[in-house]
Amino acid sequence: MSERTLPFDSALVAKLRERFPTPFYIYDEAAIRKCARDLIAAFSWCPDFKEYFAVKATPTPAILKLLAEEGFGADCSSLAELIISDHCGVTGEDIMFTSNNTMSKDYAKAKELGAVINLDDLSHVDYLAETVGMPELICFRYNPGPLRTGNAIIGEPQEAKYGFTREQLFEGYAKAQKLGATRFGLHTMVASNELNPKFFVETAEMLFELVLALHEKLGIRIEFVNLGGGMGIPYRPGEEALPIGEVASGIKESYERMIAGSAADPLKIYLENGRIITGPYGYLVTEVVHKKDIYKQYVGVDACMANLMRPGMYGAYHHISILGKEDAEATQVVDVVGSLCENNDKFAINRKLPEIEIGDLAVIHDAGAHGHSMGFQYNGKLRSAELLLKEDGTVEEIRRAETLEDYFATIEVTP
Ligand SMILES: *Cc1c(COP(=O)(O)O)cnc(C)c1O
């Protein structure tokens, strides 16, 4: 049943439960570091490669710090994420600020930190200049619209709210230059959870062509292209992991063909992945509290959609193991549900699982990115703790669980 291995066993989890009530998240430090190193190694051919970890995926300081140790920057999308990155010692051009419908207070913080500011719209060239001033280095997000097809989560570029059209880019760089910008970058993000390596090579080629056209028409030199995040992970059993080596060598081949020796050479390549870096290496551990037998069979756990909303929000598949029964035969078909008053509060629908007893622990896989961070408080639910399984085998609490005091802190209620 389970082709997935866990970096912890029942004995460790039993010990953890003496200190931490379920549900909790646990992340595997060694695996995250290995993934970071493998990504950097795959792009070592590149004149100046940098990965800016998408903070929104796992905005927890201990995670950002360990990624900074591996040489990653931070891709921030809001004021709070900028503050977290700065707190973790990731600052200046190690921060990429990619936001949309952005408020001036967010731009002000990004400028104060010296972050690379990536504008989402032509009108923001003036908005930025008028509210906080035009920085020396400016980047624009490109939306290819009908020139490119998208994928399930992010949708068709033409329907997406993000970015500049191609024509607007030419106008935007010329305008930014007049307003004092002297250094330029180009960004795009057209996929989410994409598992086809060709997609990323095509994205690189799309930007390489634009860099050359911008140079030819405007005489400006683009210093870097940021291909965005969106590299996928195999959530479903049987899916193949994205071959990062193939992505990197495909992009290298395109670079050599299109950029090497041209006016655009050397061109830095940036990525801003979140999901591939932490996604497979974070687990949500939750206890089975109830079983229910009506028109369907239900297994009720003590986590709910407020702890992990991807299944409810996107119908996303998350693999589930029953701790200690990893090799047991799947003999029943159940829905694994939380306790929200919403019928989409289900971690799994019609899932084949082994026989489950009340008190069993379910481990929800691939929850390390866009998991805890998407949490919310509907139905008065509290966000869980996050734990880090360190390389030396010890476990550290890197975010405490919310308490009722936290929940009531913004209203006049005392628990
Ligand atoms: C969400 C997001 C990312 C990260 O996406 P992943 O799927 O986690 O790799 C990167 N860049 C931008 C602009 C994003 O919105």
Side-chain angles (χ1 to χ4, degrees), residues 54 56-57 75 98 141 162 187 189 191-193 228-231 272-276 369-370:
K56 72 171 195 261
D75 165 42
T98 297
R141 178 173 184 163
Y162 310 112
H187 171 278
M189 166 118 178
S192 189
N193 195 33
M231 290 185 176
E272 51 185 27
N273 290 288
R275 192 182 314 272
I276 53 161
H370 313 291

Side-chain angles (χ1 to χ4, degrees), residues 42-107:
F43 282 91
S44 59
W45 59 269
C46 192
D48 222 331
F49 171 76
K50 196 163 180 84
E51 153 81 13
Y52 292 80
F53 177 68
V55 174
K56 72 171 195 261
T58 322
T60 310
I63 301 288
L64 300 187
K65 282 183 193 163
L66 78 84
L67 290 173
E69 284 170 14
E70 298 297 338
F72 280 20
D75 165 42
C76 297
S77 63
S78 67
L79 178 57
E81 290 178 3
L82 287 165
I83 293 169
I84 296 171
S85 296
D86 185 39
H87 166 85
C88 294
V90 180
T91 189
E93 290 181 16
D94 285 342
I95 300 178
M96 184 92 200
F97 183 61
T98 297
S99 157
N100 68 90
N101 189 28
T102 313
M103 311 297 147
S104 62
K105 64 179 190 314
D106 295 41
Y107 280 140

